[in-house]
Amino acid sequence: MSIPYSGTIKRSAGVVSAIGKQLKGVNLKAAKRITVKFDPFSDDVTHTRDFLHYISSPRIALTNPNCSLKTEIVCDRSEPTIDVTILPVIAETTQIKKVTFKSRNLTCLELFQLMNKHVSSLAPVEQPVKSIQTKSEKGKRK
């Protein structure tokens, strides 16, 4: 008698692909400033530094070129934090001015999941751009 198969058909692609999937969903249109503060000599800072590396990539920066990314390196054994200041226009409607992630016990993947949940969801929905018609296109309709 055989045991029926009870598991996934294919394995997960891993943490790196999961981070890549979360990076595709990051939208900084609701953010005015991102401040990453950490102590480089602390033990639990590697995921915060990885987050800083990924968030500073040019593709992420193109989602909002006016969003400034600031890094504060301190030497006081404080907890690593990520502060996201929300744009005033969006802050008025949502009553949220600032989002703070205390990232001591969070992985890089969890940080991006929280970023997408709390910051990217506040981004305004883009309206489809109307195409501009040239004179020749207008003439074709007549």
Side-chain angles (χ1 to χ4, degrees):
M1 178 186 263
S2 65
I3 299 173
Y5 181 73
S6 63
T8 61
I9 294 177
K10 64 182 218 184
R11 294 176 53 183
S12 169
V15 175
V16 175
S17 66
I19 290 173
K21 184 178 179 181
Q22 292 296 322
L23 278 172
K24 290 179 184 175
V26 172
N27 190 349
L28 299 179
K29 289 192 188 331
K32 180 179 180 182
R33 167 181 267 183
I34 299 173
T35 306
V36 180
K37 183 175 97 172
F38 62 90
D39 180 11
F41 302 112
S42 178
D43 295 333
D44 302 327
V45 78
T46 55
H47 294 292
T48 307
R49 292 174 68 176
D50 289 340
F51 175 85
L52 178 63
H53 169 73
Y54 289 127
I55 204 78
S56 64
S57 70
R59 194 191 75 70
I60 302 293
L62 284 176
T63 60
N64 186 1
N66 296 328
C67 179
S68 63
L69 179 64
K70 185 176 181 184
T71 305
E72 292 182 13
I73 299 175
V74 293
C75 191
D76 57 359
R77 300 289 182 191
S78 62
E79 183 176 10
T81 59
I82 299 166
D83 295 326
V84 181
T85 307
I86 305 297
L87 285 171
V89 175
I90 297 171
E92 290 173 1
T93 59
T94 60
Q95 304 298 323
I96 299 172
K97 293 182 182 178
K98 190 175 189 180
V99 178
T100 302
F101 301 116
K102 293 185 177 182
S103 60
R104 171 166 283 163
N105 296 322
L106 297 175
T107 64
C108 187
L109 177 62
E110 292 169 340
L111 285 170
F112 278 114
Q113 288 172 342
L114 290 171
M115 181 77 134
N116 286 336
K117 181 178 179 183
H118 297 292
V119 178
S120 296
S121 63
L122 297 175
V125 179
E126 292 182 13
Q127 300 296 330
V129 178
K130 295 180 181 178
S131 61
I132 300 173
Q133 293 182 346
T134 61
K135 288 183 181 179
S136 61
E137 290 175 350
K138 289 179 184 178
K140 289 180 182 177
R141 286 195 299 172
K142 291 183 181 180

